[in-house]
Amino acid sequence: MEISAANAAKVVHKNKETIRRWVNGNLLPYRKEGLRGDIKINIEDLRKFAQEYGYRFDEDFAAKLVG
């Protein structure tokens, strides 16, 4: 399941610009979608990233996003 950069920021309790820095620094895998190049992040990749770097991962919010 992929989520937007904005939702990824909410899951790890950071701002959207932090997510963009991680993406631009090739720290976090992502995919661009559409003409605007919206960032999509796999929720499992975000979970692994958060665990590896010691960031909080909001499992409750993530569960709401994936249904």
Side-chain angles (χ1 to χ4, degrees):
M1 170 75 182
E2 291 181 324
I3 59 174
S4 68
N7 281 332
K10 292 175 185 175
V11 170
V12 293
H13 299 273
K14 298 291 178 186
N15 65 43
K16 194 166 112 175
E17 289 308 310
T18 298
I19 301 296
R20 289 188 186 281
R21 280 195 299 274
W22 292 345
V23 163
N24 290 336
N26 294 317
L27 297 172
L28 183 61
Y30 70 100
R31 179 178 69 81
K32 287 194 175 187
E33 178 178 87
L35 295 175
R36 295 185 338 190
D38 296 332
I39 294 171
K40 297 294 181 180
I41 298 167
N42 182 289
I43 194 85
E44 291 304 320
D45 289 339
L46 183 62
R47 182 180 280 113
K48 288 176 192 172
F49 178 86
Q51 289 173 348
E52 182 176 341
Y53 290 97
Y55 293 106
R56 186 166 70 178
F57 186 91
D58 190 334
E59 291 289 350
D60 292 332
F61 187 69
K64 290 177 187 175
L65 293 173
V66 297

